Amino acid sequence: MAQEDRLAGVVRVAQAMAAAHSPRESWLAAAHGAQRALGGSFAALSMWERERGRLKVLVNAGERASGEEEFPDNETYPVHQFPEITEFLHERWAGGGEPNAWVETAEGPAGGAAGYCHQRVAALRRRGRGCCVVAPIVLNGRAWGELYVARPVGMPVFGREDADFATVLAAVIAAGLAQTERLEEARRLAFTDALTGLANRRAVDARLDEAVESYRRDGTVVSLVVCDLNGLKKVNDTHGHATGDRLLERFGSVLSLCGAMLPGALAARLGGDEFCLLSVGPPADEVVRVAHELCVRAQDLDLGEGVACGVASTGDPIGPVRSARRLFRLADAAQYRAKAARSTTPVVAGREGPDDPVIQLADAPETKRPGERRRFRN
């Protein structure tokens, strides 16, 4: 391959990774770009999970063999089967060498060694591939994982120049991964409550809009549990704001635990003493059961005075839900009723008949009446 073509390949990999909008897109861009740049038929990107002692395959691109998935959930290999990623970096690179790529073939080492059974060689043979080039990926000064590009039997075997080029590609991919990680961290911070680690209001708004669209499209049940932590001001005034923050954190943990009872639920802090659970899929009765559990656990906290909890679900007779705003107002009105009644159990919108006071309250004009602590949120 001409030098100009290889340079163009490097540029294409960098540009494709820069244009990615998610880690998966970035991984796929890296694998596809490396496959094309090296003239391979297949490429994979794997990450070294140190705490588990394994290489986890993130993406398989190109001509996949039987059983290989594009984004595998659980394709992992013990590092002791592929020790070069640790041995090379720890013994040679740490001693002043470079994290260079290397080539392996389905024939094994030159001349063939009796009893030779390298795991990669066995994998090449099993999947009908003739050779591969493997390049360690180093990120922030540490071994992150590896790039693997293969060719089928019958194609020319990778040479030393290919391995050197793979080393360059791995460095470009490492830079792209670093950028992806920075963007993901920025996105995480933008959608995360700093104190509790739960989702924030921005994350709820985005997820709820999507959920309501799903409900309008195919009837998916969407439920919202809105909670107001009772007694936070008293805790702050009596014990200080540091203690109040601990109460918020502890309740956040309880909310997360209860949210885990609803598959895929989003636990969030809306701000101040207000929290919510957003559930998409589970029936309304299941959400109400979890809301009951949440009230019981909140009452058992050492600090605070329990929680006021309101529930609104498209699985209940609450009328048309054409927007996320209406579901939010219904849950908010239910929570307001629970707060006013000092209820230790959830108030559920739509379960008191055609004249349900929660629905009337939610649909009332948005004028602030005497005694209301706030307008219902939009």
PDB file of all heavy atoms in Angstrom, residues 74-98:
ATOM      1  N   ASN A  74     -20.996 -10.322  25.794  1.00  0.00           N
ATOM      2  CA  ASN A  74     -20.174 -11.072  26.745  1.00  0.00           C
ATOM      3  C   ASN A  74     -19.079 -11.872  26.058  1.00  0.00           C
ATOM      4  O   ASN A  74     -18.842 -13.030  26.394  1.00  0.00           O
ATOM      5  CB  ASN A  74     -21.071 -12.003  27.575  1.00  0.00           C
ATOM      6  CG  ASN A  74     -20.384 -12.480  28.840  1.00  0.00           C
ATOM      7  OD1 ASN A  74     -19.569 -11.769  29.426  1.00  0.00           O
ATOM      8  ND2 ASN A  74     -20.698 -13.686  29.273  1.00  0.00           N
ATOM      9  N   GLU A  75     -18.399 -11.275  25.083  1.00  0.00           N
ATOM     10  CA  GLU A  75     -17.258 -11.946  24.454  1.00  0.00           C
ATOM     11  C   GLU A  75     -15.991 -11.492  25.162  1.00  0.00           C
ATOM     12  O   GLU A  75     -15.503 -10.378  24.964  1.00  0.00           O
ATOM     13  CB  GLU A  75     -17.166 -11.632  22.960  1.00  0.00           C
ATOM     14  CG  GLU A  75     -16.062 -12.428  22.262  1.00  0.00           C
ATOM     15  CD  GLU A  75     -15.946 -12.117  20.778  1.00  0.00           C
ATOM     16  OE1 GLU A  75     -16.838 -11.433  20.238  1.00  0.00           O
ATOM     17  OE2 GLU A  75     -14.957 -12.557  20.164  1.00  0.00           O
ATOM     18  N   THR A  76     -15.478 -12.334  26.021  1.00  0.00           N
ATOM     19  CA  THR A  76     -14.299 -11.981  26.821  1.00  0.00           C
ATOM     20  C   THR A  76     -13.294 -13.125  26.782  1.00  0.00           C
ATOM     21  O   THR A  76     -13.650 -14.289  26.541  1.00  0.00           O
ATOM     22  CB  THR A  76     -14.677 -11.700  28.289  1.00  0.00           C
ATOM     23  OG1 THR A  76     -15.273 -12.886  28.857  1.00  0.00           O
ATOM     24  CG2 THR A  76     -15.654 -10.544  28.399  1.00  0.00           C
ATOM     25  N   TYR A  77     -12.037 -12.776  27.047  1.00  0.00           N
ATOM     26  CA  TYR A  77     -10.961 -13.763  27.048  1.00  0.00           C
ATOM     27  C   TYR A  77     -10.043 -13.489  28.234  1.00  0.00           C
ATOM     28  O   TYR A  77      -9.628 -12.341  28.441  1.00  0.00           O
ATOM     29  CB  TYR A  77     -10.153 -13.681  25.741  1.00  0.00           C
ATOM     30  CG  TYR A  77     -11.007 -13.908  24.518  1.00  0.00           C
ATOM     31  CD1 TYR A  77     -11.548 -12.817  23.825  1.00  0.00           C
ATOM     32  CD2 TYR A  77     -11.292 -15.185  24.067  1.00  0.00           C
ATOM     33  CE1 TYR A  77     -12.358 -13.014  22.706  1.00  0.00           C
ATOM     34  CE2 TYR A  77     -12.099 -15.396  22.946  1.00  0.00           C
ATOM     35  CZ  TYR A  77     -12.630 -14.303  22.284  1.00  0.00           C
ATOM     36  OH  TYR A  77     -13.432 -14.499  21.185  1.00  0.00           O
ATOM     37  N   PRO A  78      -9.747 -14.531  29.017  1.00  0.00           N
ATOM     38  CA  PRO A  78      -8.826 -14.324  30.139  1.00  0.00           C
ATOM     39  C   PRO A  78      -7.480 -13.809  29.647  1.00  0.00           C
ATOM     40  O   PRO A  78      -6.948 -14.300  28.649  1.00  0.00           O
ATOM     41  CB  PRO A  78      -8.689 -15.729  30.747  1.00  0.00           C
ATOM     42  CG  PRO A  78      -9.893 -16.481  30.282  1.00  0.00           C
ATOM     43  CD  PRO A  78     -10.215 -15.923  28.929  1.00  0.00           C
ATOM     44  N   VAL A  79      -6.941 -12.818  30.336  1.00  0.00           N
ATOM     45  CA  VAL A  79      -5.679 -12.217  29.912  1.00  0.00           C
ATOM     46  C   VAL A  79      -4.547 -13.242  29.916  1.00  0.00           C
ATOM     47  O   VAL A  79      -3.625 -13.165  29.106  1.00  0.00           O
ATOM     48  CB  VAL A  79      -5.334 -11.002  30.805  1.00  0.00           C
ATOM     49  CG1 VAL A  79      -3.904 -10.532  30.566  1.00  0.00           C
ATOM     50  CG2 VAL A  79      -6.292  -9.858  30.500  1.00  0.00           C
ATOM     51  N   HIS A  80      -4.628 -14.249  30.772  1.00  0.00           N
ATOM     52  CA  HIS A  80      -3.536 -15.226  30.802  1.00  0.00           C
ATOM     53  C   HIS A  80      -3.465 -16.027  29.506  1.00  0.00           C
ATOM     54  O   HIS A  80      -2.435 -16.630  29.185  1.00  0.00           O
ATOM     55  CB  HIS A  80      -3.674 -16.164  32.013  1.00  0.00           C
ATOM     56  CG  HIS A  80      -4.783 -17.175  31.896  1.00  0.00           C
ATOM     57  ND1 HIS A  80      -6.028 -16.964  32.440  1.00  0.00           N
ATOM     58  CD2 HIS A  80      -4.837 -18.388  31.291  1.00  0.00           C
ATOM     59  CE1 HIS A  80      -6.801 -18.009  32.185  1.00  0.00           C
ATOM     60  NE2 HIS A  80      -6.095 -18.889  31.487  1.00  0.00           N
ATOM     61  N   GLN A  81      -4.568 -16.039  28.727  1.00  0.00           N
ATOM     62  CA  GLN A  81      -4.529 -16.708  27.431  1.00  0.00           C
ATOM     63  C   GLN A  81      -3.852 -15.831  26.365  1.00  0.00           C
ATOM     64  O   GLN A  81      -3.372 -16.331  25.360  1.00  0.00           O
ATOM     65  CB  GLN A  81      -5.950 -17.052  26.967  1.00  0.00           C
ATOM     66  CG  GLN A  81      -6.617 -18.122  27.813  1.00  0.00           C
ATOM     67  CD  GLN A  81      -7.989 -18.487  27.272  1.00  0.00           C
ATOM     68  OE1 GLN A  81      -8.466 -17.922  26.294  1.00  0.00           O
ATOM     69  NE2 GLN A  81      -8.628 -19.462  27.915  1.00  0.00           N
ATOM     70  N   PHE A  82      -3.855 -14.532  26.600  1.00  0.00           N
ATOM     71  CA  PHE A  82      -3.241 -13.576  25.673  1.00  0.00           C
ATOM     72  C   PHE A  82      -2.332 -12.644  26.471  1.00  0.00           C
ATOM     73  O   PHE A  82      -2.599 -11.452  26.594  1.00  0.00           O
ATOM     74  CB  PHE A  82      -4.317 -12.766  24.940  1.00  0.00           C
ATOM     75  CG  PHE A  82      -5.310 -13.619  24.211  1.00  0.00           C
ATOM     76  CD1 PHE A  82      -6.524 -13.932  24.780  1.00  0.00           C
ATOM     77  CD2 PHE A  82      -5.006 -14.115  22.955  1.00  0.00           C
ATOM     78  CE1 PHE A  82      -7.434 -14.722  24.103  1.00  0.00           C
ATOM     79  CE2 PHE A  82      -5.919 -14.909  22.265  1.00  0.00           C
ATOM     80  CZ  PHE A  82      -7.136 -15.218  22.838  1.00  0.00           C
ATOM     81  N   PRO A  83      -1.271 -13.181  27.031  1.00  0.00           N
ATOM     82  CA  PRO A  83      -0.476 -12.421  27.995  1.00  0.00           C
ATOM     83  C   PRO A  83       0.362 -11.307  27.398  1.00  0.00           C
ATOM     84  O   PRO A  83       0.876 -10.471  28.137  1.00  0.00           O
ATOM     85  CB  PRO A  83       0.433 -13.494  28.607  1.00  0.00           C
ATOM     86  CG  PRO A  83       0.604 -14.508  27.511  1.00  0.00           C
ATOM     87  CD  PRO A  83      -0.721 -14.546  26.809  1.00  0.00           C
ATOM     88  N   GLU A  84       0.471 -11.250  26.068  1.00  0.00           N
ATOM     89  CA  GLU A  84       1.395 -10.269  25.501  1.00  0.00           C
ATOM     90  C   GLU A  84       0.997  -8.837  25.831  1.00  0.00           C
ATOM     91  O   GLU A  84       1.848  -7.956  25.951  1.00  0.00           O
ATOM     92  CB  GLU A  84       1.508 -10.449  23.984  1.00  0.00           C
ATOM     93  CG  GLU A  84       0.231 -10.213  23.198  1.00  0.00           C
ATOM     94  CD  GLU A  84      -0.700 -11.419  23.202  1.00  0.00           C
ATOM     95  OE1 GLU A  84      -0.260 -12.510  23.588  1.00  0.00           O
ATOM     96  OE2 GLU A  84      -1.857 -11.242  22.820  1.00  0.00           O
ATOM     97  N   ILE A  85      -0.306  -8.578  26.005  1.00  0.00           N
ATOM     98  CA  ILE A  85      -0.709  -7.209  26.293  1.00  0.00           C
ATOM     99  C   ILE A  85      -0.144  -6.737  27.630  1.00  0.00           C
ATOM    100  O   ILE A  85       0.229  -5.586  27.808  1.00  0.00           O
ATOM    101  CB  ILE A  85      -2.246  -7.047  26.284  1.00  0.00           C
ATOM    102  CG1 ILE A  85      -2.619  -5.555  26.387  1.00  0.00           C
ATOM    103  CG2 ILE A  85      -2.894  -7.836  27.392  1.00  0.00           C
ATOM    104  CD1 ILE A  85      -4.079  -5.281  26.179  1.00  0.00           C
ATOM    105  N   THR A  86      -0.045  -7.657  28.582  1.00  0.00           N
ATOM    106  CA  THR A  86       0.538  -7.281  29.875  1.00  0.00           C
ATOM    107  C   THR A  86       2.043  -7.479  29.881  1.00  0.00           C
ATOM    108  O   THR A  86       2.784  -6.614  30.320  1.00  0.00           O
ATOM    109  CB  THR A  86      -0.092  -8.113  31.005  1.00  0.00           C
ATOM    110  OG1 THR A  86       0.045  -9.502  30.708  1.00  0.00           O
ATOM    111  CG2 THR A  86      -1.562  -7.774  31.156  1.00  0.00           C
ATOM    112  N   GLU A  87       2.500  -8.607  29.371  1.00  0.00           N
ATOM    113  CA  GLU A  87       3.931  -8.892  29.413  1.00  0.00           C
ATOM    114  C   GLU A  87       4.720  -7.890  28.571  1.00  0.00           C
ATOM    115  O   GLU A  87       5.755  -7.378  29.002  1.00  0.00           O
ATOM    116  CB  GLU A  87       4.195 -10.313  28.912  1.00  0.00           C
ATOM    117  CG  GLU A  87       3.676 -11.377  29.866  1.00  0.00           C
ATOM    118  CD  GLU A  87       3.902 -12.769  29.322  1.00  0.00           C
ATOM    119  OE1 GLU A  87       4.372 -12.883  28.170  1.00  0.00           O
ATOM    120  OE2 GLU A  87       3.603 -13.748  30.034  1.00  0.00           O
ATOM    121  N   PHE A  88       4.232  -7.599  27.373  1.00  0.00           N
ATOM    122  CA  PHE A  88       4.949  -6.676  26.499  1.00  0.00           C
ATOM    123  C   PHE A  88       5.042  -5.302  27.143  1.00  0.00           C
ATOM    124  O   PHE A  88       6.111  -4.715  27.251  1.00  0.00           O
ATOM    125  CB  PHE A  88       4.242  -6.564  25.150  1.00  0.00           C
ATOM    126  CG  PHE A  88       4.968  -5.661  24.178  1.00  0.00           C
ATOM    127  CD1 PHE A  88       5.905  -6.185  23.310  1.00  0.00           C
ATOM    128  CD2 PHE A  88       4.734  -4.301  24.156  1.00  0.00           C
ATOM    129  CE1 PHE A  88       6.589  -5.364  22.424  1.00  0.00           C
ATOM    130  CE2 PHE A  88       5.404  -3.473  23.284  1.00  0.00           C
ATOM    131  CZ  PHE A  88       6.336  -3.998  22.412  1.00  0.00           C
ATOM    132  N   LEU A  89       3.892  -4.787  27.575  1.00  0.00           N
ATOM    133  CA  LEU A  89       3.885  -3.428  28.114  1.00  0.00           C
ATOM    134  C   LEU A  89       4.639  -3.336  29.429  1.00  0.00           C
ATOM    135  O   LEU A  89       5.326  -2.363  29.704  1.00  0.00           O
ATOM    136  CB  LEU A  89       2.446  -2.943  28.280  1.00  0.00           C
ATOM    137  CG  LEU A  89       1.742  -2.678  26.947  1.00  0.00           C
ATOM    138  CD1 LEU A  89       0.260  -2.463  27.170  1.00  0.00           C
ATOM    139  CD2 LEU A  89       2.341  -1.461  26.266  1.00  0.00           C
ATOM    140  N   HIS A  90       4.516  -4.343  30.258  1.00  0.00           N
ATOM    141  CA  HIS A  90       5.158  -4.265  31.566  1.00  0.00           C
ATOM    142  C   HIS A  90       6.660  -4.529  31.497  1.00  0.00           C
ATOM    143  O   HIS A  90       7.429  -3.936  32.238  1.00  0.00           O
ATOM    144  CB  HIS A  90       4.495  -5.257  32.519  1.00  0.00           C
ATOM    145  CG  HIS A  90       3.150  -4.792  32.993  1.00  0.00           C
ATOM    146  ND1 HIS A  90       2.542  -5.290  34.114  1.00  0.00           N
ATOM    147  CD2 HIS A  90       2.305  -3.867  32.493  1.00  0.00           C
ATOM    148  CE1 HIS A  90       1.373  -4.695  34.285  1.00  0.00           C
ATOM    149  NE2 HIS A  90       1.207  -3.835  33.302  1.00  0.00           N
ATOM    150  N   GLU A  91       7.056  -5.419  30.600  1.00  0.00           N
ATOM    151  CA  GLU A  91       8.454  -5.809  30.575  1.00  0.00           C
ATOM    152  C   GLU A  91       9.287  -5.018  29.558  1.00  0.00           C
ATOM    153  O   GLU A  91      10.424  -4.658  29.833  1.00  0.00           O
ATOM    154  CB  GLU A  91       8.571  -7.302  30.274  1.00  0.00           C
ATOM    155  CG  GLU A  91       7.974  -8.166  31.395  1.00  0.00           C
ATOM    156  CD  GLU A  91       7.995  -9.645  31.036  1.00  0.00           C
ATOM    157  OE1 GLU A  91       8.687  -9.996  30.057  1.00  0.00           O
ATOM    158  OE2 GLU A  91       7.319 -10.420  31.706  1.00  0.00           O
ATOM    159  N   ARG A  92       8.687  -4.746  28.397  1.00  0.00           N
ATOM    160  CA  ARG A  92       9.469  -4.081  27.347  1.00  0.00           C
ATOM    161  C   ARG A  92       9.184  -2.584  27.261  1.00  0.00           C
ATOM    162  O   ARG A  92      10.101  -1.775  27.285  1.00  0.00           O
ATOM    163  CB  ARG A  92       9.190  -4.757  25.999  1.00  0.00           C
ATOM    164  CG  ARG A  92       9.902  -6.104  25.890  1.00  0.00           C
ATOM    165  CD  ARG A  92       9.940  -6.530  24.440  1.00  0.00           C
ATOM    166  NE  ARG A  92       8.764  -7.325  24.122  1.00  0.00           N
ATOM    167  CZ  ARG A  92       8.424  -7.671  22.887  1.00  0.00           C
ATOM    168  NH1 ARG A  92       9.135  -7.259  21.865  1.00  0.00           N
ATOM    169  NH2 ARG A  92       7.365  -8.394  22.655  1.00  0.00           N
ATOM    170  N   TRP A  93       7.897  -2.232  27.183  1.00  0.00           N
ATOM    171  CA  TRP A  93       7.584  -0.806  27.053  1.00  0.00           C
ATOM    172  C   TRP A  93       7.996  -0.056  28.319  1.00  0.00           C
ATOM    173  O   TRP A  93       8.567   1.021  28.266  1.00  0.00           O
ATOM    174  CB  TRP A  93       6.090  -0.630  26.785  1.00  0.00           C
ATOM    175  CG  TRP A  93       5.684   0.795  26.567  1.00  0.00           C
ATOM    176  CD1 TRP A  93       6.289   1.710  25.769  1.00  0.00           C
ATOM    177  CD2 TRP A  93       4.583   1.456  27.172  1.00  0.00           C
ATOM    178  NE1 TRP A  93       5.625   2.912  25.821  1.00  0.00           N
ATOM    179  CE2 TRP A  93       4.576   2.768  26.681  1.00  0.00           C
ATOM    180  CE3 TRP A  93       3.587   1.063  28.069  1.00  0.00           C
ATOM    181  CZ2 TRP A  93       3.621   3.702  27.070  1.00  0.00           C
ATOM    182  CZ3 TRP A  93       2.638   1.980  28.440  1.00  0.00           C
ATOM    183  CH2 TRP A  93       2.664   3.284  27.949  1.00  0.00           C
ATOM    184  N   ALA A  94       7.732  -0.651  29.483  1.00  0.00           N
ATOM    185  CA  ALA A  94       8.125  -0.002  30.739  1.00  0.00           C
ATOM    186  C   ALA A  94       9.638   0.146  30.824  1.00  0.00           C
ATOM    187  O   ALA A  94      10.155   1.019  31.511  1.00  0.00           O
ATOM    188  CB  ALA A  94       7.615  -0.804  31.937  1.00  0.00           C
ATOM    189  N   GLY A  95      10.349  -0.700  30.079  1.00  0.00           N
ATOM    190  CA  GLY A  95      11.800  -0.621  30.102  1.00  0.00           C
ATOM    191  C   GLY A  95      12.374   0.286  29.033  1.00  0.00           C
ATOM    192  O   GLY A  95      13.577   0.288  28.810  1.00  0.00           O
ATOM    193  N   GLY A  96      11.520   1.038  28.355  1.00  0.00           N
ATOM    194  CA  GLY A  96      12.001   2.002  27.373  1.00  0.00           C
ATOM    195  C   GLY A  96      11.643   1.679  25.947  1.00  0.00           C
ATOM    196  O   GLY A  96      11.938   2.445  25.033  1.00  0.00           O
ATOM    197  N   GLY A  97      10.981   0.544  25.710  1.00  0.00           N
ATOM    198  CA  GLY A  97      10.586   0.199  24.357  1.00  0.00           C
ATOM    199  C   GLY A  97       9.289   0.894  23.962  1.00  0.00           C
ATOM    200  O   GLY A  97       8.749   1.707  24.694  1.00  0.00           O
ATOM    201  N   GLU A  98       8.799   0.587  22.780  1.00  0.00           N
ATOM    202  CA  GLU A  98       7.550   1.159  22.291  1.00  0.00           C
ATOM    203  C   GLU A  98       6.492   0.065  22.191  1.00  0.00           C
ATOM    204  O   GLU A  98       6.820  -1.107  21.976  1.00  0.00           O
ATOM    205  CB  GLU A  98       7.772   1.809  20.916  1.00  0.00           C
ATOM    206  CG  GLU A  98       8.678   3.016  20.941  1.00  0.00           C
ATOM    207  CD  GLU A  98       8.071   4.177  21.706  1.00  0.00           C
ATOM    208  OE1 GLU A  98       6.826   4.298  21.717  1.00  0.00           O
ATOM    209  OE2 GLU A  98       8.835   4.955  22.304  1.00  0.00           O
TER     210      GLU A  98
END
